[in-house]
Amino acid sequence: MSEQGKGSASASTAAPAPGSDTYKGWLFKWTNYLKGYQRRWFVLSNGLLSYYRTQAEMAHTCRGTINLATAHIDTEDACNIVLSSGGRTYHLKASTEVERQRWVTALELAKAKAIRMMNDQSDDSGDEEPTTQSDRSEIQGTLRILVSKLDDLSTCNDLIAKHGAALQRSLSELEGLKVPLEGGEKIKAVNERATLFRITSNAMTNACRDFLDLAETHSRRLHRALQYEREQRTHLEETIEQLAKQHNSLERAWREAPTHASSTPSVPTTSQGNQRVNKEDASDEDEDTEYFDAMEDAPTFITVTASESSQHRRSQGNLSGASGGQTSDWNQDDHMSPSYNDVSGKELLPRRQRRTHIPDKPNYSLNLWSIMKNCIGKELSKIPMPVNFNEPLSMLQRLTEDLEYHELLDKAARCESSLEQMCLVAAFSVSSYSTTVHRTAKPFNPLLGETYELDRLEEFGYRSLCEQVSHHPPAAAHHVISKRGWTLWQEITIASKFRGKYLSIMPLGAIHLQFHSSGNHYVWRKVTSTVHNIIVGKLWIDQSGDIEVINNRTKETCQLKFSPYSYFSRDVPRKVTGVVADSGGRAHYILSGTWDDKMESAKIVQSSRGGSGSEGKQKTVYQTLSPKLLWKKYPLPENAENMYHFSALALTLNEPEDGVALTDSRLRPDQRLMEEGRWDEANSEKQRLEEKQRAARRRREAEATDALDEGRDYEGYQPLWFHQRRDSVTGETNFVYKGGYWESKEKEDWSMCPDIF
């Protein structure tokens, strides 16, 4: 990999000697495969190696720090240095071999010193309370005891020296006497040993005195260092708390600020269209850093509303630059039948009163990071989570919530034009996200074989059934049939990843919708949902990606774009735009709105080529009629903020029903306990159910092993109400409804249901 800026890469910039406490200089640091090695300013101080882009950044921005006390230092070749500590690795390169050796020497010395300091401080590492007067008194008392003991040792040393000298004199006198040769040798040996004893005792006393001096010096130094670390810790905690408060304040101010764009049609009207301000990211560090940049693939079209005269003339005259006409119903000559005024689509009144509230959510505090820090990179469905992060609904019930605006499909079934029908189907696909804007809690993962029915045949003309057909990966099959002329089915597998900063939820699988009278068969897929501010700040959800709705009978399409939130975008948040085109690719309708509020459509009466966009691409200018309202979100029930932000439909989903299957989510005990506010009991029950499911899986695995050993075929787990079939449209193999559920309900025969609760 080539070095960038090597000509200015000298690392010998006025750095102190490697043996000093601080060492500074330029090194090349590996960033990524696109940018290779980048020149960075490194500072080695107090056992920490930090780096900056420039020397000026030392005053405000540190790009990274590694603790040498726990680091491994390695040298790959003549100029390379590799530092690794835990999961962090720095690949560094010096400009010369000599400079590399200087850095290695400095790093090794700093590492040894850091290890010594860490060992010296290990005895005090558990002391987290501020130093009090009693602590200081205790230290001073200990020092006084040491001084007194040292005085005792000195006294003993004086006595040893006095008696040792007398002993040596006595031995010398004995040597002067005429004694046998053997006795003289023994006396001489005793004299030498006495001398060594005196020398040793003197050395011991001196060592004790040195120890006392060092103890006094290091006690004062360690006390200052500990006090400094405590002050820094307090300062950091206050800073993090202040940042979190500022973040929440800014978020509230932004959300509460008047959005003038919401009072005007969300279709752009200026000649610049939806151009974005593209800003160069100021950082080239660490390829896993998340940034929210401006949209790069802005819509390549501009819409303007035709004036009344131009609607009649269909002329090539000047286009009205305002798309600010009031939103109206389908009342032109291209009107839909029926109009939006009957959007409720509820000809029959409900026969029973559904509940309108549930117990308020308890105010239990729980540290999310303490649970999630060990789960980064894992599948969300494999993480054992307490119910504190859940809402009292299962994923099957959340899937059923897609039917909240079923009246759009009732209305679409009565459309004579397939293009108008496509507009309503597209609005229905967007409406399923409207309930997620405040729903940051996680639904319960369904148990294998768990089902959920929603029987609204007499009230709204449809029946819905969901079943959990697979556990790893988690997959649910859904089937809805309506006597008002449509059938919907889907198999959804949820793939989710926790990345520390955010949680991505990727629904996999196609949604099918077929209208009985026309035979129009629509297919589309869901977009990605992202939960932000997992660790710090207020949780918020964003939807991003593209949806392509295809009518497989007529080959008409609708391209919907969910714009991700961007700090640099001037558009209204949660924006959705789309174009409905016929089989030849000719656009007929423009769709616009937001996924949390409403969707509108405007019929195109004329199109022409406009000017080039910011990237040099030519934009298409669509002349449209006034926008017509397709869908509008229902307001949330009163006190919804204390009821998990449930919609009116969501409040009824877990309401007890008679005659449901024994595997229905309404009968799940941990979910029911959570709804009632008994969270501790719900957590215990949740663990019991999960262990019961694991035991059932182990039994199936043992049966499969036995069958394999005996040479028998083993079918494995099979869902009760769905079976796998190859789809003739998508070519995919998925689970579809095989029948029998509603017949069993009429017979009140659930003997075939497994015991999962």
Side-chain angles (χ1 to χ4, degrees):
M1 186 66 64
S2 62
E3 299 179 8
Q4 300 181 9
K6 190 169 182 176
S8 58
S10 175
S12 58
T13 306
S20 62
D21 291 338
T22 303
Y23 192 65
K24 305 176 182 179
W26 291 102
L27 287 173
F28 287 102
K29 178 182 178 294
W30 174 263
T31 56
N32 53 52
Y33 284 99
L34 293 177
K35 299 181 179 180
Y37 284 95
Q38 296 291 318
R39 189 168 178 258
R40 297 290 179 260
W41 178 255
F42 280 81
V43 177
L44 175 59
S45 178
N46 296 326
L48 301 176
L49 180 66
S50 305
Y51 73 94
Y52 311 83
R53 285 215 181 138
T54 63
Q55 298 181 49
E57 275 195 350
M58 291 176 62
H60 54 83
T61 305
C62 177
R63 297 290 171 175
T65 301
I66 194 168
N67 188 353
L68 294 178
T70 58
H72 176 70
I73 304 173
D74 191 18
T75 53
E76 290 184 339
D77 53 31
C79 296
N80 282 35
I81 306 171
V82 179
L83 295 176
S84 58
S85 177
R88 182 181 303 176
T89 301
Y90 288 172
H91 294 268
L92 310 177
K93 181 180 289 188
S95 57
T96 64
E97 186 174 356
V98 174
E99 189 60 38
R100 194 282 304 266
Q101 190 56 45
R102 290 178 182 171
W103 272 103
V104 171
T105 303
L107 291 170
E108 292 288 359
L109 292 174
K111 177 181 178 180
K113 185 175 180 180
I115 293 175
R116 286 198 304 271
M117 292 179 62
M118 183 174 64
N119 292 336
D120 292 341
Q121 296 177 4
S122 60
D123 292 339
D124 298 329
S125 61
D127 183 12
E128 297 183 357
E129 297 297 326
T131 302
T132 62
Q133 184 65 32
S134 61
D135 295 331
R136 289 194 291 271
S137 300
E138 182 180 354
I139 294 173
Q140 293 171 358
T142 303
L143 289 176
R144 284 194 298 269
I145 293 173
L146 289 174
V147 170
S148 66
K149 294 298 181 182
L150 184 63
D151 292 339
D152 294 342
L153 288 173
S154 299
T155 303
C156 293
N157 180 69
D158 294 339
L159 292 174
I160 291 172
K162 178 180 178 181
H163 295 301
L167 178 62
Q168 283 184 326
R169 284 196 302 272
S170 299
L171 291 173
S172 299
E173 293 173 355
L174 286 175
E175 287 181 6
L177 298 176
K178 293 181 179 180
V179 296
L181 180 62
E182 182 179 355
E185 293 294 332
K186 289 184 177 179
I187 292 173
K188 186 177 180 181
V190 171
N191 192 12
E192 290 177 352
R193 290 176 181 175
T195 303
L196 290 174
F197 175 73
R198 187 184 63 180
I199 294 173
T200 303
S201 64
N202 289 336
M204 181 188 67
T205 305
N206 292 333
C208 290
R209 182 179 289 108
D210 293 340
F211 167 75
L212 180 61
D213 295 338
L214 287 174
E216 291 176 345
T217 303
H218 282 283
S219 176
R220 290 191 296 269
R221 183 180 301 173
L222 290 175
H223 176 71
R224 289 194 301 269
L226 184 60
Q227 190 64 27
Y228 173 77
E229 292 298 331
R230 285 170 175 159
E231 292 173 356
Q232 290 295 105
R233 173 183 171 180
T234 302
H235 175 69
L236 286 174
E237 290 176 348
E238 292 174 352
T239 302
I240 291 175
E241 183 180 1
Q242 187 65 24
L243 285 174
K245 291 179 179 178
Q246 292 177 0
H247 179 90
N248 289 334
S249 298
L250 288 172
E251 187 178 61
R252 284 196 303 270
W254 177 79
R255 294 187 183 279
E256 294 171 1
T259 55
H260 63 276
S262 63
S263 62
T264 61
S266 55
V267 180
T269 60
T270 64
S271 60
Q272 297 300 319
N274 285 340
Q275 298 178 15
R276 302 290 193 273
V277 180
N278 293 318
K279 294 189 177 181
E280 183 74 19
D281 185 5
S283 175
D284 63 359
E285 296 295 320
D286 300 334
E287 58 273 16
D288 60 346
T289 305
E290 181 189 14
Y291 300 103
F292 295 92
D293 267 344
M295 292 170 54
E296 296 178 356
D297 50 350
T300 57
F301 61 85
I302 305 171
T303 62
V304 293
T305 305
S307 62
E308 185 176 353
S309 57
S310 63
Q311 292 178 23
H312 294 290
R313 295 195 305 267
R314 302 288 196 268
S315 67
Q316 299 290 332
N318 294 332
L319 299 179
S320 171
S323 180
Q326 294 295 322
T327 301
S328 60
D329 295 334
W330 293 87
N331 53 13
Q332 304 292 333
D333 54 0
D334 59 328
H335 71 282
M336 300 177 67
S337 56
S339 71
Y340 178 80
N341 292 331
D342 68 340
V343 67
S344 63
K346 302 170 184 175
E347 293 86 350
L348 299 177
L349 294 177
R351 289 192 173 187
R352 58 169 288 185
Q353 184 68 32
R354 304 286 177 179
R355 68 180 184 180
T356 58
H357 68 277
I358 60 175
D360 287 357
K361 177 181 178 181
N363 188 20
Y364 292 149
S365 62
L366 189 66
N367 186 358
L368 173 64
W369 180 241
S370 65
I371 295 175
M372 300 296 282
K373 63 183 179 181
N374 296 322
C375 304
I376 296 176
K378 296 182 181 178
E379 280 284 349
L380 186 65
S381 60
K382 297 181 181 180
I383 299 174
M385 300 280 277
V387 300
N388 304 56
F389 300 119
N390 286 34
E391 62 180 17
L393 290 178
S394 74
M395 192 63 206
L396 302 181
Q397 291 165 315
R398 284 291 293 268
L399 196 60
T400 306
E401 277 193 77
D402 288 356
L403 301 174
E404 175 129 21
Y405 298 94
H406 61 88
E407 61 270 7
L408 291 172
L409 301 184
D410 298 341
K411 184 177 177 181
R414 301 192 295 268
C415 283
E416 299 176 358
S417 168
S418 60
L419 290 172
E420 295 171 355
Q421 189 179 75
M422 172 70 81
C423 292
L424 287 168
V425 173
F428 175 78
S429 70
V430 175
S431 70
S432 62
Y433 298 98
S434 63
T435 61
T436 66
V437 63
H438 300 298
R439 301 272 290 279
T440 55
K442 172 183 176 289
F444 279 78
N445 289 328
L447 302 173
L448 185 62
E450 185 174 336
T451 60
Y452 181 74
E453 69 159 70
L454 188 66
D455 191 351
R456 297 290 191 266
L457 187 64
E458 295 182 354
E459 300 169 42
F460 306 130
Y462 69 85
R463 277 177 162 175
S464 168
L465 175 65
C466 291
E467 181 179 5
Q468 187 77 359
V469 296
S470 172
H471 188 61
H472 286 306
H478 186 202
H479 182 268
V480 191
I481 185 167
S482 172
K483 66 181 182 181
R484 298 180 183 174
W486 54 270
T487 301
L488 182 145
W489 67 96
Q490 59 180 319
E491 179 194 335
I492 296 296
T493 300
I494 301 295
S496 53
K497 288 291 184 179
F498 175 59
R499 297 300 187 185
K501 300 176 184 178
Y502 60 93
L503 176 70
S504 294
I505 303 169
M506 295 81 69
L508 309 176
I511 304 172
H512 297 258
L513 172 65
Q514 188 166 27
F515 292 99
H516 303 164
S517 59
S518 63
N520 289 335
H521 185 171
Y522 296 88
V523 179
W524 69 92
R525 300 175 188 271
K526 290 180 175 289
V527 296
T528 298
S529 301
T530 306
V531 184
H532 296 274
N533 290 351
I534 293 293
I535 305 303
V536 178
K538 182 180 179 182
L539 293 175
W540 61 279
I541 292 182
D542 194 22
Q543 314 288 348
S544 60
D546 297 328
I547 291 180
E548 182 182 35
V549 185
I550 303 175
N551 184 342
N552 286 279
R553 189 183 72 84
T554 63
K555 305 305 178 185
E556 296 162 347
T557 62
C558 175
Q559 301 288 342
L560 290 172
K561 180 175 182 59
F562 288 66
S563 301
Y565 174 75
S566 171
Y567 288 108
F568 304 112
S569 176
R570 291 171 292 182
D571 279 328
V572 61
R574 310 181 187 97
K575 182 177 180 180
V576 181
T577 55
V579 178
V580 176
D582 58 22
S583 58
R586 179 170 173 265
H588 289 264
Y589 289 93
I590 296 295
L591 305 183
S592 61
T594 58
W595 53 263
D596 68 325
D597 184 29
K598 65 180 180 179
M599 286 296 293
E600 300 170 348
S601 71
K603 186 172 183 179
I604 299 171
V605 296
Q606 182 178 311
S607 63
S608 61
R609 288 292 180 180
S612 298
S614 58
E615 299 179 358
K617 298 179 181 179
Q618 194 174 29
K619 291 182 176 289
T620 301
V621 179
Y622 292 122
Q623 182 180 359
T624 67
L625 301 178
S626 298
K628 314 298 188 300
L629 186 62
L630 292 173
W631 159 74
K632 177 74 174 174
K633 179 186 175 182
Y634 298 143
L636 290 177
E638 185 180 357
N639 196 37
E641 64 276 6
N642 295 321
M643 298 186 294
Y644 308 90
H645 289 97
F646 280 178
S647 64
L649 174 63
L651 288 173
T652 68
L653 292 179
N654 207 42
E655 185 176 9
E657 295 263 358
D658 295 331
V660 299
L662 302 179
T663 53
D664 197 272
S665 298
R666 298 176 180 88
L667 304 178
R668 180 166 175 166
D670 54 347
Q671 187 173 301
R672 180 65 60 189
L673 288 169
M674 183 194 177
E675 182 182 279
E676 295 171 354
R678 299 154 63 184
W679 285 16
D680 291 338
E681 298 174 63
N683 277 318
S684 300
E685 194 66 18
K686 183 172 183 287
Q687 293 179 6
R688 182 189 68 81
L689 291 176
E690 291 172 349
E691 181 55 38
K692 184 176 182 179
Q693 181 173 238
R694 284 189 286 267
R697 186 184 71 246
R698 288 193 292 267
R699 284 197 302 271
R700 288 193 297 269
E701 292 173 350
E703 292 172 359
T705 302
D706 294 342
L708 181 63
D709 294 340
E710 298 172 4
R712 295 183 288 105
D713 292 333
Y714 183 73
E715 189 177 26
Y717 177 80
Q718 295 297 322
L720 196 56
W721 310 111
F722 291 80
H723 57 181
Q724 282 189 316
R725 291 292 183 268
R726 183 178 180 84
D727 189 85
S728 59
V729 175
T730 63
E732 300 173 350
T733 300
N734 48 31
F735 284 92
V736 296
Y737 180 57
K738 64 181 181 182
Y741 180 88
W742 304 109
E743 291 79 5
S744 296
K745 183 178 182 180
E746 292 177 2
K747 298 176 185 177
E748 298 182 359
D749 179 15
W750 301 116
S751 58
M752 73 293 294
C753 292
D755 177 18
I756 61 174
F757 298 144

